[in-house]
């Protein structure tokens, strides 16, 4: 029954994508090359494989991303999702400061569905990760955050040290919510991750250390292509569940994460890309809520950055 429900969900997503006209038929129909593995120096741009570039025709170019994910934007505009429901953010427009943050929380909380962490009869977090984190180069795999590698979707198991598992990007000990429905099962911050790298990250805060995939006693630094994703997931969680993002670096049961200054910088260094947009759309299909910092990345400055005293306009 669970598999039938999942197939129906993915079929509906496919129909919506076709109707939206988001695919680019003019994009070259080329085979997708698998990114080099960590430690392979043949591809010097490996760290940036999901960082978007805009060509002379206004098309987003992302290495290893199928043409179905490619979006067209006008010069100077940020790439927006084609599936934002009409008027989804209208009530937040013209607000500022705490009023803006509270309205965004209302928007992404109202009607949100809380899935189970593990279930044999209905959608659960495994299903969301398999669908949302699908490897752009191989639909049989998930793409593992932090290590930038693909792994078979069925190569997972809770508690196994050499498979992929479900990484709580906002560490579940920071707020002590475990795997309870809500923060503990929210697909907007749960990502497929290589279990050993997940253990290396542990419950550390995020911040610059000394290069990609490094850590110290307080902070973990992901590769460049994941930095913006991580930042926008942390900002989402802070707004959705009224958590705190600061520069303290404290690791305890308080619902706080950091490092704020670095996360603000990462949001700029690693802009929203088609992979992230696709994932936001898929999680919306499961949970019926969105990450506003993917749909409107500029909101980061209005909620957490140097524009908190200015009114945001959609």
């Amino acid at each position: 029954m669970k598999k039938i429900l999942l197939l129906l969900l993915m079929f509906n997503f496919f129909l919506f994508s076709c109707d939206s006209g988001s695919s680019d038929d003019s994009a070259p129909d080329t085979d997708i090359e698998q990114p080099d593995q960590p430690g392979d120096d043949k591809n010097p741009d490996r760290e940036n494989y999901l960082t978007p570039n805009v060509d002379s025709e206004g098309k987003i170019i992302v290495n290893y991303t199928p043409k179905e994910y490619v979006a067209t934007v006008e010069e100077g505009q940020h790439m927006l999702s084609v599936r934002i429901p009409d008027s989804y953010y209208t009530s937040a427009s013209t607000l500022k400061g705490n009023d803006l943050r509270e309205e965004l929380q209302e928007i992404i909380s109202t009607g949100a569905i809380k899935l189970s962490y593990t279930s044999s009869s209905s959608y659960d977090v495994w299903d969301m990760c398999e669908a949302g984190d699908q490897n752009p180069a191989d639909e049989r795999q998930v793409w593992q955050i932090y290590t930038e590698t693909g792994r078979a979707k069925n190569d997972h198991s809770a508690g196994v040290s050499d498979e992929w598992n479900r990484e709580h990007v906002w560490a579940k000990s920071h707020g002590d919510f475990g795997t309870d429905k809500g923060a503990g099962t929210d697909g907007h911050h749960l990502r497929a991750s290589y279990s050993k790298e997940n253990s290396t990250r542990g419950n550390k805060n995020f911040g610059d250390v000394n290069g990609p995939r490094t850590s110290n006693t307080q902070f973990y630094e992901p590769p460049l292509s994941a930095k913006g994703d991580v930042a926008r997931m942390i900002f989402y969680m802070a707004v959705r569940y009224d958590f705190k993002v600061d520069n303290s670096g404290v690791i305890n049961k308080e619902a706080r994460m950091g490092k704020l200054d670095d996360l603000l910088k990462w949001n700029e260094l690693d802009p929203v890309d088609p992979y992230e947009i696709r994932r936001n759309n898929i999680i919306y299909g499961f949970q019926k809520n969105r990450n506003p910092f993917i749909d409107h990345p500029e909101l980061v400055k209005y909620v957490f950055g140097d524009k908190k005293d200015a009114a945001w306009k959609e």
Side-chain angles (χ1 to χ4, degrees):
M1 180 64 181
K2 178 179 174 181
K3 290 185 177 179
I4 294 175
L5 290 172
L6 183 59
L7 287 172
L8 287 173
L9 177 70
M10 296 304 293
F11 180 68
N12 287 333
F13 175 76
F14 173 77
L15 288 178
F16 190 101
S17 299
C18 292
D19 291 341
S20 68
S22 61
S23 62
D24 181 9
D25 292 334
S26 65
D29 187 13
T30 57
D31 292 333
I32 305 303
E33 180 184 356
Q34 178 71 17
D36 295 329
Q37 300 300 308
D40 190 335
D41 295 330
K42 290 186 295 183
N43 180 8
D45 295 324
R46 174 176 53 79
E47 300 285 350
N48 297 305
Y49 94 97
L50 286 177
T51 301
N53 296 307
V54 182
D55 67 14
S56 60
E57 297 180 353
K59 296 176 183 176
I60 299 294
I61 302 174
V62 183
N63 294 333
Y64 313 114
T65 300
K67 65 180 182 180
E68 287 80 9
Y69 300 176
V70 177
T72 301
V73 295
E74 295 180 8
E75 184 176 359
Q77 288 186 335
H78 225 302
M79 184 171 48
L80 300 179
S81 168
V82 297
R83 292 192 67 204
I84 303 175
D86 291 340
S87 305
Y88 191 77
Y89 295 109
T90 300
S91 61
S93 188
T94 73
L95 298 180
K96 64 181 178 180
N98 288 333
D99 290 340
L100 174 59
R101 177 169 176 154
E102 290 174 1
E103 185 59 28
L104 288 174
Q105 182 184 53
E106 179 70 17
I107 290 170
I108 62 179
S109 300
T110 301
I113 297 173
K114 299 177 181 179
L115 272 66
S116 298
Y117 195 59
T118 302
S119 174
S120 60
S121 59
S122 61
Y123 302 135
D124 61 17
V125 172
W126 288 121
D127 297 320
M128 281 197 291
C129 287
E130 288 184 12
D133 293 327
Q134 181 171 295
N135 184 354
D138 189 340
E139 64 182 9
R140 299 166 299 178
Q141 296 182 341
V142 292
W143 187 255
Q144 299 172 119
I145 194 171
Y146 307 149
T147 57
E148 302 179 303
T149 54
R151 185 172 290 266
K153 289 182 177 180
N154 61 4
D155 189 13
H156 70 74
S157 180
V160 177
S161 62
D162 196 31
E163 297 182 349
W164 72 270
N165 59 17
R166 299 161 291 184
E167 156 75 334
H168 289 79
V169 175
W170 185 292
K172 56 183 181 288
S173 62
H174 290 238
D176 198 27
F177 49 76
T179 57
D180 294 341
K181 284 186 176 181
T185 62
D186 196 316
H188 284 298
H189 86 118
L190 279 152
R191 295 290 296 267
S193 173
Y194 180 44
S195 55
K196 290 185 178 180
E197 189 68 19
N198 195 349
S199 297
T200 298
R201 185 265 161 136
N203 66 346
K204 298 180 180 71
N205 290 279
F206 291 100
D208 288 331
V209 181
N210 187 25
R213 282 190 297 280
T214 56
S215 62
N216 57 27
T217 57
Q218 285 183 298
F219 297 104
Y220 175 86
E221 181 178 1
L224 176 58
S225 66
K227 285 181 175 178
D229 304 54
V230 165
R232 289 178 283 274
M233 285 186 278
I234 294 299
F235 293 139
Y236 162 86
M237 290 293 289
V239 171
R240 172 70 173 88
Y241 299 101
D242 201 22
F243 293 165
K244 187 174 183 179
V245 184
D246 60 23
N247 289 309
S248 68
V250 171
I251 299 177
N252 55 29
K253 291 186 177 181
E254 293 182 59
R256 65 170 66 204
M257 285 286 291
K259 186 177 181 181
L260 175 59
D261 288 348
D262 289 341
L263 293 171
L264 289 169
K265 180 175 64 177
W266 292 359
N267 181 57
E268 300 292 327
L269 286 174
D270 175 32
V272 172
D273 56 51
Y275 181 95
E276 202 174 355
I277 286 176
R278 175 186 178 274
R279 190 178 196 281
N280 194 25
N281 291 336
I282 288 178
I283 301 305
Y284 174 71
F286 280 96
Q287 295 186 175
K288 304 306 178 187
N289 75 337
R290 305 183 65 80
N291 183 337
F293 303 108
I294 294 175
D295 289 331
H296 290 287
E298 76 280 2
L299 275 169
V300 170
K301 291 184 177 181
Y302 288 87
V303 179
F304 297 96
D306 57 6
K307 291 188 176 181
K308 286 189 286 188
D309 294 330
W312 174 72
K313 294 183 180 180
E314 187 175 18

